[in-house]
Amino acid sequence: MIIAIDGPAASGKSTVAREVARRLHFQYLDTGAMYRAVTWQALEDKVDVFDQSALQGLARRIPLRFEKSEGNDIDDKVLVGDHDVTALIRSPKISSMVSLVARVSGVRKVMVEKQRELAQGHDAVVEGRDIGTVVFPHADVKVFLTASTVERARRRSAEMESEGHCVDVHSLERELISRDTIDSQRRSGPLLRACDAHVVNTTDRTIEQVVAEIIKLCERS
Ligand code: CDP
């Protein structure tokens, strides 16, 4: 069974997708982490983010993999070769650049193939922007998470503050809007609700309520 969870930045996808995967004992695949890791490698290698063919080459070469972190039963650790980049790919710098890399169709083609390979033969919860539309258009359950921009910025700033980053909630809000605009307007695999996706607005709901609703959808399908 494939559960596709899509939605805009900071809509709660990761928290919810991880918890659903844990409870159902499914594999968890964070496709945003893959685009973030490619962006991290591009910055490391000083690849111009406007050089589409260099980015596609890098996406093909990058030895990207996931592992379970200690004491955890889902694949939440992101590695490039043996280098643990889990925290590095969440930096404000990567967040501000990732949509420029993710809009390159050559990069998306390579990533979509990897995503299908990684989930192949598993029951999986896969989260991203184009999972229900492009990566797994025949997913058994499709969910599109939304939340108000103010709430999304509030959640992301709380998350970043807890990780020791100093954040201004208004600039964070602008960053989320700018990322959503680039993600929604690109030609290849835009952020889009699949017509058969269940829309779940998480603004005034707890994680537990959202997780329970998704599990109920899975039991029905
Ligand atoms: O955690 P957050 O919602 O901020 O973002 P993410 O899921 O880590 O994704 C980071 C970025 O990767 C997005 O803003 C998109 O530009 C890109 N992305 C994508 O294009 N397609 C996906 N399936 C997942 C992420």
Side-chain angles (χ1 to χ4, degrees):
M1 174 185 264
I2 297 284
I3 304 171
I5 303 186
D6 290 304
S11 53
K13 293 183 306 293
S14 294
T15 313
V16 165
R18 284 169 193 220
E19 193 50 31
V20 171
R22 257 189 216 110
R23 292 204 198 168
L24 297 177
H25 303 287
F26 277 23
Q27 183 184 309
Y28 165 67
L29 180 59
D30 176 0
T31 64
M34 298 173 72
Y35 292 99
R36 285 175 179 272
V38 173
T39 307
W40 174 82
Q41 188 69 66
L43 293 180
E44 284 289 294
D45 295 355
K46 302 199 172 19
V47 169
D48 179 358
V49 293
F50 293 99
D51 184 342
Q52 303 198 358
S53 76
L55 287 174
Q56 182 174 8
L58 188 152
R60 273 212 199 92
R61 284 192 313 273
I62 189 171
L64 181 58
R65 59 197 179 88
F66 291 92
E67 265 181 15
K68 293 174 182 33
S69 59
E70 219 173 289
N72 223 332
D73 48 7
I74 56 161
D75 287 333
D76 58 353
K77 192 162 145 184
V78 190
L79 295 112
V80 173
D82 289 329
H83 193 157
D84 182 351
V85 297
T86 315
L88 298 172
I89 62 170
R90 307 273 158 213
S91 73
K93 173 87 179 156
I94 301 290
S95 295
S96 69
M97 306 291 286
V98 60
S99 291
L100 298 175
V101 172
R103 70 180 176 177
V104 176
S105 62
V107 170
R108 302 200 70 79
K109 192 168 171 287
V110 176
M111 288 296 119
V112 168
E113 275 168 23
K114 280 196 192 202
Q115 289 156 15
R116 290 182 182 143
E117 264 169 38
L118 287 167
Q120 172 84 27
H122 298 276
D123 287 322
V125 180
V126 188
E127 63 144 307
R129 302 290 187 289
D130 56 345
I131 311 305
T133 50
V134 174
V135 186
F136 292 111
H138 302 297
D140 304 85
V141 175
K142 296 184 189 178
V143 177
F144 193 83
L145 291 188
T146 62
S148 71
T149 313
V150 172
E151 175 61 14
R152 291 191 287 127
R154 193 197 61 74
R155 286 180 192 163
R156 184 53 50 93
S157 76
E159 190 181 306
M160 291 178 73
E161 270 168 13
S162 76
E163 287 160 3
H165 295 287
C166 184
V167 283
D168 166 36
V169 74
H170 296 295
S171 61
L172 200 54
E173 199 174 320
R174 283 195 295 276
E175 193 255 312
L176 294 181
I177 293 171
S178 140
R179 198 139 61 86
D180 289 347
T181 306
I182 302 174
D183 289 347
S184 306
Q185 291 180 349
R186 65 180 175 229
R187 252 190 269 154
S188 171
L191 164 64
L192 191 67
R193 179 180 74 82
C195 52
D196 51 350
H198 301 267
V199 179
V200 180
N201 188 332
T202 69
T203 307
D204 297 313
R205 307 181 65 201
T206 63
I207 294 164
E208 180 52 39
Q209 287 171 327
V210 177
V211 168
E213 181 169 344
I214 296 175
I215 289 184
K216 211 181 275 172
L217 290 171
C218 298
E219 286 165 356
R220 271 196 237 131
S221 81

